[in-house]
Amino acid sequence: LWSDPRPQVFWGAFDLIGGMADMQPVRAASGGASENIKHIAGWIGVTAVGVAALFAAARPEVCVDSKDCAAIFEGGIKRVNRFASVSLIVGAIIQFMTTVILFVKTRGMVGIVKDIEYTFVPPLLMCIALLMLLAENLLLFRGAFVHVAAAGVGETSRPIYSPIILEWVVNVPILLILSGYSALNRPLAEVSRPLVVTNIYIILAWSAYFVPNEPLRWFVIAVAFLMYAWASYDMANWIFVFRATARQEIPSRNLRCVLTILLIVVFFIYGLVYLAGILGILSPREELIFYVTWNIGTKLFFLIAFVGIRASQFYDLLVTLVKLKVLPLDQLLPHDLEALKGGADEPLMD
């Protein structure tokens, strides 16, 4: 697929746009473990404060306390949530076992193969993402944390599935870390701004459901979409910088970029579905089915993509070791030596 000339034309045009837009700033320095912990604590703090503040301001009514809303919710998709929950339990167990096996099989190579410990990050994050999806579907099945939209939002007494928002403010940062930090090798300092901006506009979009004043509601929605554009600009910049700095031989070079492009497109589609729900074009049931299926589908795509990236990295490592075994030192390529001695710009394993 990646050797087909049509994708090469696409990536060539993509690189040209990046050069014309001058979207290649000096790369931020990668922080150590303590610096990364500070970034993560900052993300959690900003998100928690934002959720608490907007929840206190909105004071949404619980759906079960509204007869009309409860009737709509009871006619929802509990069967879909039940099937999704069973599938996610199986998927989470398989992913957890895969992560444990990977850790056991490769821990003896820590310190020998450059940055191999980073191999554990994507599967561990995917375990957390699958558990959050499971929690979301269990909460929806039980009807917990489902609220009533303000008058004028879609149909009367429209149920708002707040567990989906809770899942997003945890799993969307995970997807951004996977696409920016793990796949594109961007430092967490560079991932921070779009991650925080994305979580804030998710919370703002949720709070707009409960704004009774229509002009104010649309103002909040407009701010959320502007923040989406801002975060998407930063995410596109990850790709331009990566393609300008990463070596051509890095495993799955184009697939890594596709993950970030996918997120930008998927978040835009989510925004269109959100607007369709606000305007009453989609019923609560249709909107919920979309969110549940796409939430699961997006994570599964990332899971499959990182299996492919990891496989290509191990293959690349195997080829390098074979070259080292059978070829004279002066016939090895520069990137082979850099990968083995730890001098390459990107880690051998993500």
Side-chain angles (χ1 to χ4, degrees):
L1 174 61
W2 304 117
S3 61
D4 187 282
R6 289 169 295 181
Q8 298 307 318
V9 171
F10 168 78
W11 291 116
F14 202 84
D15 292 338
L16 179 62
I17 293 172
M20 293 174 62
D22 195 26
M23 298 175 70
Q24 296 176 7
V26 177
R27 177 180 172 180
S30 298
S34 60
E35 193 68 24
N36 290 341
I37 291 173
K38 289 180 182 178
H39 286 302
I40 296 172
W43 305 337
I44 295 173
V46 171
T47 301
V49 170
V51 170
L54 290 176
F55 187 86
R59 291 181 294 180
E61 179 185 0
V62 179
C63 184
V64 294
D65 294 338
S66 168
K67 184 178 179 180
D68 293 335
C69 181
I72 297 174
F73 174 74
E74 289 300 327
I77 57 166
K78 284 192 173 184
R79 181 176 298 179
V80 174
N81 291 130
R82 186 184 298 116
F83 290 152
S85 298
V86 172
S87 301
L88 287 168
I89 290 173
V90 175
I93 292 174
I94 294 174
Q95 181 61 21
F96 176 75
M97 294 304 299
T98 302
T99 304
V100 171
I101 293 172
L102 178 66
F103 174 76
V104 171
K105 294 295 184 180
T106 59
R107 64 180 177 177
M109 300 174 68
V110 174
I112 300 175
V113 177
K114 182 196 173 194
D115 290 335
I116 196 171
E117 61 269 20
Y118 289 104
T119 312
F120 311 136
V121 174
L124 182 60
L125 290 178
M126 287 309 305
C127 282
I128 298 173
L130 292 175
L131 289 176
M132 283 303 302
L133 280 173
L134 176 60
E136 170 200 276
N137 279 275
L138 291 176
L139 289 173
L140 287 172
F141 177 73
R142 295 179 59 85
F145 303 107
V146 179
H147 299 102
V148 188
V153 177
E155 61 192 76
T156 304
S157 301
R158 185 182 185 92
I160 303 303
Y161 304 99
S162 298
I164 292 177
I165 305 300
L166 294 175
E167 184 259 324
W168 284 349
V169 297
V170 175
N171 276 352
V172 167
I174 287 177
L175 296 180
L176 291 176
I177 292 171
L178 288 172
S179 60
Y181 177 75
S182 295
L184 298 181
N185 195 33
R186 309 318 309 148
L188 287 185
E190 198 172 310
V191 175
S192 288
R193 186 169 71 183
L195 188 151
V196 171
V197 169
T198 299
N199 263 10
I200 291 175
Y201 78 65
I202 288 174
I203 301 167
L204 279 176
W206 170 81
S207 68
Y209 283 123
F210 312 109
V211 177
N213 182 278
E214 187 170 2
L216 179 58
R217 181 192 313 137
W218 284 105
F219 174 77
V220 173
I221 293 172
V223 170
F225 272 86
L226 288 174
M227 295 182 75
Y228 158 77
W230 183 17
S232 298
Y233 175 88
D234 282 344
M235 292 166 65
N237 203 23
W238 297 345
I239 303 173
F240 292 124
V241 177
F242 172 78
R243 293 186 65 81
T245 58
R247 60 185 174 89
Q248 291 292 325
E249 299 83 3
I250 187 171
S252 306
R253 190 171 190 266
N254 290 337
L255 178 58
R256 295 166 185 261
C257 300
V258 167
L259 292 177
T260 298
I261 296 173
L262 174 72
L263 286 185
I264 295 173
V265 174
V266 166
F267 292 168
F268 180 73
I269 295 173
Y270 271 74
L272 295 180
V273 172
Y274 168 81
L275 287 178
I278 288 278
L279 295 171
I281 298 173
L282 290 179
S283 69
R285 174 185 172 83
E286 292 168 336
E287 186 178 7
L288 182 57
I289 289 176
F290 172 86
Y291 289 147
V292 169
T293 53
W294 277 61
N295 284 353
I296 296 175
T298 303
K299 278 72 173 182
L300 288 180
F301 182 87
F302 263 70
L303 183 61
I304 294 170
F306 270 95
V307 169
I309 291 173
R310 187 166 64 245
S312 65
Q313 287 175 319
F314 275 111
Y315 175 80
D316 191 62
L317 173 61
L318 179 61
V319 170
T320 301
L321 293 175
V322 170
K323 288 180 180 178
L324 186 64
K325 179 71 174 178
V326 302
L327 293 179
L329 192 63
D330 58 355
Q331 294 185 22
L332 292 176
L333 296 175
H335 78 267
D336 294 327
L337 297 174
E338 289 176 347
L340 288 172
K341 72 182 182 181
D345 185 46
E346 71 282 333
L348 182 63
M349 302 287 178
D350 289 324

